Amino acid sequence: MVGQDTLHLADVNPEYEQLLQAMGGKAPDLGAFPDVYTLRTFIVEAKKNMTATIGKPEGVEEEDIQVPMRDGAEITVRVYSPEKPPSGGSPLIVMFHGGGFVLGGLENEELNCRLFCERLGFVALNVDYRLAPEHVFPTPVNDCWHALKWAAAHASELNADPSKGFVVGGISAGGNMAAVCGHLARDEKLSPPLTGLFLSIPALLPKEAVPEKYKSKYLSLEQNKNAAILSEKAIDLFMSNYKPDPASPLWVPFLWPTGHAHLPPTFFQICGQDPLRDEGLLFEEILREECGVKTKLDVYPGLPHSFWTLFPGMEVSRRCVEDTVRGVGWLLEQVKGR
């Protein structure tokens, strides 16, 4: 049950507490940066540190492709392919990076995409959607949807076989857009159909849109408003640049007009000290209990939003990276079990 029973998930993780003490008791808060441009530089360096700490999986080929959008622009999609594809064909995964709709790029999901190729045989697409404030809502989410449709239409050219698995996934803001795309794919009958969703620390339900019946369970935003990395101040910074339409389901997939039934199996990752914790837990509960959707839920108690990115040296961060591969592997198992 989400609500009072999950408040304990914010109790600090011992390994993270030791790291905080070594850092003088204060972890970075993305809301403390003066603007998104300064923050972008910080995030690029953090990603370089993560790759250097964890390493770059080998046995993977990569190629950048320019994909046309409906407004005439082109975005870059980096395609990762296994040097030795599975004998039965490669499944396909499309990934949307995090960064509050204003940060990040192809470097964000390089590690995951390479691991999905090396360990699971995927052809992985890393989408460099356009960012706010240069491109406000709904441009980023529209880019993601059109990239997903492009992937479906060009799977054979990518040497992928979606019948082996066709997953869309995202981290944080990317998780928001992956959830949106999952609903659009169902409603618009994307062909071939998606077989799985990967929603990591997703933004799904902003506070101003919370229905009355869920307000007693929507506690993490207040509990974790001063948390490290993603504070309430950081959320406000991102939203003031993204400028979403509060009435649009392209911003609030939790309240999708046609509901959530018949979504594909969904893998969630949730952090205990994350302001977004309870909206993710609520959504997982609704999918599983009310909609009959198969779910897998990994929770990281006492850890802040996207902890593995800024603190890759922690053992729990390394475990999270491995859990990610296992979770996406679980999505493939659901295809085989149909």
Side-chain angles (χ1 to χ4, degrees):
M1 293 290 292
V2 186
Q4 293 291 331
D5 291 342
T6 56
L7 291 175
H8 71 279
L9 292 175
D11 295 345
V12 65
N13 171 280
E15 184 184 14
Y16 174 54
E17 186 174 32
Q18 288 184 349
L19 178 64
L20 283 178
Q21 291 172 352
M23 296 170 60
K26 186 67 174 176
D29 171 13
L30 302 186
F33 286 78
D35 53 58
V36 298
Y37 307 103
T38 308
L39 189 48
R40 285 173 180 174
T41 302
F42 172 77
I43 292 297
V44 168
E45 292 305 312
K47 279 295 177 181
K48 288 180 180 177
N49 181 47
M50 181 179 180
T51 300
T53 301
I54 296 178
K56 182 182 290 189
E58 301 298 330
V60 178
E61 300 174 346
E62 64 179 65
E63 176 188 7
D64 287 353
I65 295 176
Q66 299 303 305
V67 175
M69 298 290 102
R70 69 178 184 179
D71 61 1
E74 291 186 336
I75 64 169
T76 301
V77 172
R78 182 163 293 167
V79 181
Y80 299 83
S81 305
E83 290 181 357
K84 297 179 179 179
S87 58
S90 290
L92 180 62
I93 186 168
V94 179
M95 289 294 298
F96 308 139
H97 66 79
F101 308 93
V102 302
L103 310 169
L106 293 171
E107 68 281 352
N108 284 55
E109 289 308 303
E110 179 181 33
L111 177 61
N112 277 336
C113 286
R114 283 182 163 270
L115 284 170
F116 298 155
C117 287
E118 180 199 37
R119 305 276 189 85
L120 302 173
F122 273 100
V123 170
L125 273 59
N126 187 359
V127 178
D128 195 18
Y129 58 87
R130 287 172 286 179
L131 300 174
E134 295 87 350
H135 303 279
V136 298
F137 176 90
T139 297
V141 66
N142 283 341
D143 283 357
C144 289
W145 172 232
H146 286 281
L148 181 63
K149 290 195 293 184
W150 181 90
H154 295 82
S156 61
E157 299 165 40
L158 297 167
N159 296 315
D161 181 356
S163 71
K164 303 299 181 183
F166 187 10
V167 177
V168 64
I171 317 297
S172 190
N176 169 276
M177 295 185 287
V180 168
C181 287
H183 288 83
L184 287 171
R186 180 203 61 187
D187 290 355
E188 298 192 16
K189 295 180 171 52
L190 181 70
S191 181
L194 293 176
T195 65
L197 295 179
F198 166 37
L199 306 182
S200 179
I201 51 176
L204 301 166
L205 181 63
K207 61 182 178 181
E208 62 273 10
V210 179
E212 188 64 36
K213 67 177 181 178
Y214 294 126
K215 286 183 178 179
S216 65
K217 298 182 177 184
Y218 188 90
L219 304 177
S220 57
L221 182 63
E222 177 64 25
Q223 184 187 30
N224 296 322
K225 65 182 180 181
N226 296 316
I229 305 178
L230 186 71
S231 63
E232 187 175 38
K233 187 176 179 181
I235 294 172
D236 291 344
L237 173 66
F238 296 154
M239 292 307 97
S240 67
N241 283 276
Y242 187 44
K243 303 185 186 306
D245 175 357
S248 173
L250 298 181
W251 164 230
V252 191
F254 192 102
L255 302 179
W256 198 263
T258 55
H260 314 300
H262 308 298
L263 288 176
T266 304
F267 166 44
F268 288 85
Q269 291 177 313
I270 305 293
C271 295
Q273 284 193 4
D274 189 348
L276 307 182
R277 179 193 71 215
D278 289 347
E279 57 203 81
L281 291 175
L282 275 169
F283 192 54
E284 188 275 335
E285 186 177 273
I286 289 168
L287 291 191
R288 174 172 41 84
E289 295 188 358
E290 299 180 17
C291 302
V293 175
K294 291 182 179 180
T295 66
K296 177 177 173 59
L297 173 63
D298 285 352
V299 178
Y300 298 90
L303 291 160
H305 186 88
S306 194
F307 64 90
W308 59 88
T309 301
L310 293 187
F311 313 121
M314 290 197 302
E315 182 58 35
V316 68
S317 296
R318 295 178 183 274
R319 176 166 59 83
C320 180
V321 171
E322 295 298 319
D323 289 346
T324 301
V325 177
R326 278 191 288 269
V328 173
W330 175 83
L331 293 175
L332 285 185
E333 291 170 7
Q334 309 316 301
V335 180
K336 297 174 184 176
R338 289 188 304 188

